[in-house]
Short mmCIF file of all heavy atoms in Angstrom, two decimals:
data_model
loop_
_atom_site.label_atom_id
_atom_site.label_comp_id
_atom_site.label_asym_id
_atom_site.label_seq_id
_atom_site.Cartn_x
_atom_site.Cartn_y
_atom_site.Cartn_z
N ASP A 108 202.34 -55.21 -23.29
CA ASP A 108 202.85 -54.23 -24.26
C ASP A 108 203.18 -52.91 -23.56
O ASP A 108 204.19 -52.28 -23.88
CB ASP A 108 201.84 -53.97 -25.38
CG ASP A 108 201.55 -55.20 -26.23
OD1 ASP A 108 202.25 -56.22 -26.11
OD2 ASP A 108 200.57 -55.14 -27.02
N GLY A 109 202.33 -52.49 -22.64
CA GLY A 109 202.57 -51.24 -21.91
C GLY A 109 203.87 -51.28 -21.13
O GLY A 109 204.60 -50.29 -21.05
N VAL A 110 204.18 -52.43 -20.54
CA VAL A 110 205.43 -52.58 -19.79
C VAL A 110 206.62 -52.55 -20.77
O VAL A 110 207.61 -51.87 -20.53
CB VAL A 110 205.41 -53.88 -18.96
CG1 VAL A 110 206.78 -54.16 -18.35
CG2 VAL A 110 204.35 -53.78 -17.87
N PHE A 111 206.51 -53.29 -21.87
CA PHE A 111 207.55 -53.25 -22.90
C PHE A 111 207.84 -51.81 -23.34
O PHE A 111 208.99 -51.38 -23.42
CB PHE A 111 207.12 -54.11 -24.10
CG PHE A 111 207.81 -53.75 -25.38
CD1 PHE A 111 209.14 -54.08 -25.61
CD2 PHE A 111 207.14 -53.06 -26.38
CE1 PHE A 111 209.78 -53.75 -26.79
CE2 PHE A 111 207.76 -52.72 -27.57
CZ PHE A 111 209.09 -53.05 -27.78
N LEU A 112 206.77 -51.05 -23.63
CA LEU A 112 206.96 -49.68 -24.09
C LEU A 112 207.58 -48.79 -23.02
O LEU A 112 208.40 -47.93 -23.33
CB LEU A 112 205.62 -49.09 -24.57
CG LEU A 112 205.07 -49.74 -25.85
CD1 LEU A 112 203.63 -49.28 -26.10
CD2 LEU A 112 205.97 -49.44 -27.04
N SER A 113 207.23 -49.01 -21.77
CA SER A 113 207.82 -48.20 -20.69
C SER A 113 209.32 -48.44 -20.62
O SER A 113 210.11 -47.51 -20.45
CB SER A 113 207.14 -48.47 -19.35
OG SER A 113 207.47 -49.76 -18.86
N ILE A 114 209.72 -49.70 -20.75
CA ILE A 114 211.15 -50.04 -20.72
C ILE A 114 211.85 -49.45 -21.93
O ILE A 114 212.88 -48.77 -21.80
CB ILE A 114 211.34 -51.57 -20.71
CG1 ILE A 114 210.77 -52.20 -19.44
CG2 ILE A 114 212.82 -51.92 -20.85
CD1 ILE A 114 210.63 -53.71 -19.51
N LYS A 115 211.30 -49.72 -23.10
CA LYS A 115 211.91 -49.28 -24.36
C LYS A 115 212.17 -47.77 -24.35
O LYS A 115 213.23 -47.32 -24.78
CB LYS A 115 210.99 -49.64 -25.53
CG LYS A 115 211.48 -49.15 -26.87
CD LYS A 115 210.51 -49.47 -27.98
CE LYS A 115 210.98 -48.87 -29.28
NZ LYS A 115 210.09 -49.17 -30.39
N HIS A 116 211.21 -47.00 -23.87
CA HIS A 116 211.34 -45.54 -23.94
C HIS A 116 212.04 -44.94 -22.73
O HIS A 116 212.57 -43.83 -22.83
CB HIS A 116 209.96 -44.92 -24.18
CG HIS A 116 209.46 -45.23 -25.55
ND1 HIS A 116 209.87 -44.54 -26.67
CD2 HIS A 116 208.62 -46.18 -26.01
CE1 HIS A 116 209.30 -45.04 -27.75
NE2 HIS A 116 208.52 -46.06 -27.37
N ALA A 117 212.10 -45.65 -21.62
CA ALA A 117 212.82 -45.13 -20.45
C ALA A 117 214.32 -45.34 -20.56
O ALA A 117 215.10 -44.51 -20.09
CB ALA A 117 212.30 -45.79 -19.18
N ILE A 118 214.74 -46.43 -21.17
CA ILE A 118 216.17 -46.76 -21.20
C ILE A 118 217.04 -45.62 -21.76
O ILE A 118 218.03 -45.24 -21.13
CB ILE A 118 216.43 -48.09 -21.92
CG1 ILE A 118 215.99 -49.24 -21.00
CG2 ILE A 118 217.89 -48.24 -22.34
CD1 ILE A 118 216.03 -50.61 -21.65
N PRO A 119 216.70 -45.02 -22.90
CA PRO A 119 217.56 -43.92 -23.38
C PRO A 119 217.64 -42.75 -22.41
O PRO A 119 218.71 -42.16 -22.23
CB PRO A 119 216.90 -43.50 -24.70
CG PRO A 119 216.15 -44.72 -25.15
CD PRO A 119 215.67 -45.36 -23.88
#
Side-chain angles (χ1 to χ4, degrees):
D108 296 350
V110 172
F111 158 74
L112 292 170
S113 71
I114 296 166
K115 176 183 176 179
H116 291 280
I118 286 173

